[in-house]
Amino acid sequence: MIPIVQGTLTMRRDLDRQEWLRYALQDVFEFEHRGGSTLHWVPQGAADECMLGLIQKTKIHQLHEPPEKGGQEITREEWQGAYVMIDPTHHDEGQRIAVENDVVGKPNALLKSLAQHLNLREDAPYQIEIEPIWDASRFWAFSNAHNNMMQKIEFDFVVPNMWSTETDLDHDLRDTGEKTGAERVSVAFRSQHGVSTNNSKVRQGVKYAERGAGTLSARAMDGTPFRSTKTMLISKIPAVKAGAEAMAAYFAGLKRTILQRGKGSALDDPGSDFGEPDNG
């Protein structure tokens, strides 16, 4: 969440990051999703310091009445919902959010649409940038498999604004953001003869990006691509069905696992981290 320097008269400058999230997500509202569909945010209360909500959409089913009712065709509307857990509090790992997977849509796409809606509010004091947390070990395995030489390595960084770490990269990005007002900074390394991944600049970039502060894409010398968005972390928890209060208690007990905080979180296998050679 990046403070907006030039704002409107209605901007809520009195709210910090946590307060703004709690305020903006306290009520039901609808927002646009890709393809022109409409989604709905439905708050579900709290799980300790975390916020719970649902992202919902409607699905239309074409059905038939049973034989005793003549079997005529009918249309029925169904509501589907994906649970969302948000920890709006400050951590060195950053504010985090988790979405139930593949119920309403792809989590990253859903959150991008939700963030865009909040960012367009006239009273928004912060620009919300959503990036997946991903597993850097997958990149280093990819790098080692290709002799640590790439045709290109590209980073898309969110300008630092919360983390307490202080590397040369943190300092340079923060300085760039303050001087230019940029919310994101892209950095690319390219060479037909190969870019080595075995250097401090790439290591700092990977470490910075994997905590949810950016994305990485690379292409090996043989054209095989790597994309960090293909290796995002997925927490696995047992599926349960219960009332709102019971679900809140259930999620509260698993919040560290769900939000991938600290050690002991589970990583689902998203499949191959790299695909066929490409020419893009």
Side-chain angles (χ1 to χ4, degrees), residues 47-68:
D48 293 340
E49 74 279 11
C50 298
M51 305 160 58
L52 285 179
L54 284 169
I55 292 179
Q56 290 190 287
K57 72 174 183 180
T58 58
K59 186 174 182 179
I60 303 300
H61 292 282
Q62 299 293 334
L63 306 172
H64 287 265
E65 293 280 17
E68 60 270 20

Side-chain angles (χ1 to χ4, degrees), residues 206-253:
V206 172
K207 186 175 182 179
Y208 182 90
E210 74 162 328
R211 61 190 176 186
T215 58
L216 178 158
S217 63
R219 188 165 66 223
M221 299 302 290
D222 65 358
T224 306
F226 174 93
R227 297 179 181 86
S228 63
T229 53
K230 301 288 187 179
T231 66
M232 66 181 68
L233 297 182
I234 299 176
S235 300
K236 290 183 177 180
I237 60 173
V240 299
K241 294 185 182 298
E245 291 186 7
M247 290 301 295
Y250 175 68
F251 288 134

Side-chain angles (χ1 to χ4, degrees), residues 15-158:
L15 301 179
D16 63 22
R17 291 179 177 86
Q18 178 180 171
E19 291 168 340
W20 168 245
L21 285 177
R22 295 189 186 281
Y23 173 79
L25 296 172
Q26 65 181 330
D27 298 317
V28 175
F29 59 82
E30 62 182 47
F31 59 99
E32 293 185 3
H33 190 43
R34 57 177 58 175
S37 61
T38 299
L39 299 177
H40 299 256
W41 168 258
V42 184
Q44 297 290 293
D48 293 340
E49 74 279 11
C50 298
M51 305 160 58
L52 285 179
L54 284 169
I55 292 179
Q56 290 190 287
K57 72 174 183 180
T58 58
K59 186 174 182 179
I60 303 300
H61 292 282
Q62 299 293 334
L63 306 172
H64 287 265
E65 293 280 17
E68 60 270 20
K69 292 187 178 181
Q72 70 180 50
E73 188 174 283
I74 60 172
T75 298
R76 182 171 297 166
E77 183 180 57
E78 172 187 292
W79 282 93
Q80 298 177 328
Y83 277 105
V84 180
M85 172 179 270
I86 305 170
D87 185 352
T89 61
H90 175 77
H91 293 266
D92 285 344
E93 294 174 317
Q95 292 169 309
R96 293 195 171 185
I97 183 169
V99 183
E100 192 175 1
N101 196 23
D102 283 340
V103 176
V104 172
K106 297 296 183 183
N108 197 43
L110 296 174
L111 293 180
K112 295 278 188 181
S113 295
L114 178 61
Q116 181 180 29
H117 174 82
L118 297 179
N119 291 340
L120 290 174
R121 287 182 52 149
E122 291 188 357
D123 56 349
Y126 300 95
Q127 173 79 16
I128 301 173
E129 296 289 334
I130 299 287
E131 290 298 344
I133 302 168
W134 53 280
D135 182 14
S137 68
R138 300 292 182 92
F139 171 72
W140 293 119
F142 172 82
S143 178
N144 290 334
H146 292 87
N147 300 314
N148 298 315
M149 295 294 288
M150 302 286 130
Q151 288 184 36
K152 69 173 183 178
I153 306 171
E154 297 179 340
F155 294 99
D156 182 26
F157 296 121
V158 178

